[in-house]
Amino acid sequence: MNDGACSKRPCLRKTRSGGDDVDGESETDRDVGLDVSDSPEWLQTIRRVRPGIVALRVTAMRAFEDINPGTWYGTGFVVDAAAGLVLTNRHVVTVGPIRAVAYFDQNEELPCEALYRDP
């Protein structure tokens, strides 16, 4: 499996939720396009996992092996909030030196560093 891990500092934030509207749809639900007409089980699942989903912006600062310098985006998910570990695919973190930022729910941004790349 070609997975990389990203560790951010400090540890993950506490989950925050938006206020509810009259129709039962929260501000955060509207921000990510959740529809209250979806099944309650599906909405509950999305609300539970959404804080653990991460968008990553990765910048390779110089050419390394077969990778050219540049910036690209990928996704990952939190595997250990206490340790600040995020799992993503190897092609997202590449094999060379990188600078990365993790974007969480509620627009929180935290710097990352690659800890491991499976060859």
Side-chain angles (χ1 to χ4, degrees):
M1 181 166 34
N2 289 334
D3 292 321
C6 222
S7 175
K8 52 178 206 37
R9 313 256 190 289
C11 287
L12 297 178
R13 63 168 169 70
K14 301 262 191 279
T15 302
R16 296 176 299 242
S17 60
D20 285 336
D21 269 347
V22 182
D23 62 3
E25 182 180 20
S26 74
E27 295 169 21
T28 12
D29 291 346
R30 279 192 306 277
D31 291 343
V32 295
L34 287 180
D35 185 352
V36 293
S37 65
D38 287 335
S39 73
E41 295 85 9
W42 179 243
L43 290 173
Q44 181 181 15
T45 300
I46 296 299
R47 287 179 181 133
R48 183 174 45 85
V49 301
R50 182 173 54 202
I53 299 171
V54 180
L56 297 165
R57 183 186 72 214
V58 178
T59 302
M61 298 161 286
R62 63 176 190 254
F64 190 85
E65 291 185 1
D66 62 343
I67 303 296
N68 290 324
T71 299
W72 49 92
Y73 297 86
T75 57
F77 59 92
V78 176
V79 293
D80 187 336
L85 293 176
V86 172
L87 186 68
T88 189
N89 290 320
R90 181 177 186 255
H91 69 268
V92 174
V93 294
T94 75
V95 294
I98 62 165
R99 291 200 176 157
V101 176
Y103 298 93
F104 290 85
D105 190 31
Q106 306 284 324
N107 298 317
E108 186 171 5
E109 301 176 22
L110 295 169
C112 292
E113 63 184 27
L115 294 180
Y116 174 77
R117 295 171 180 96
D118 189 6

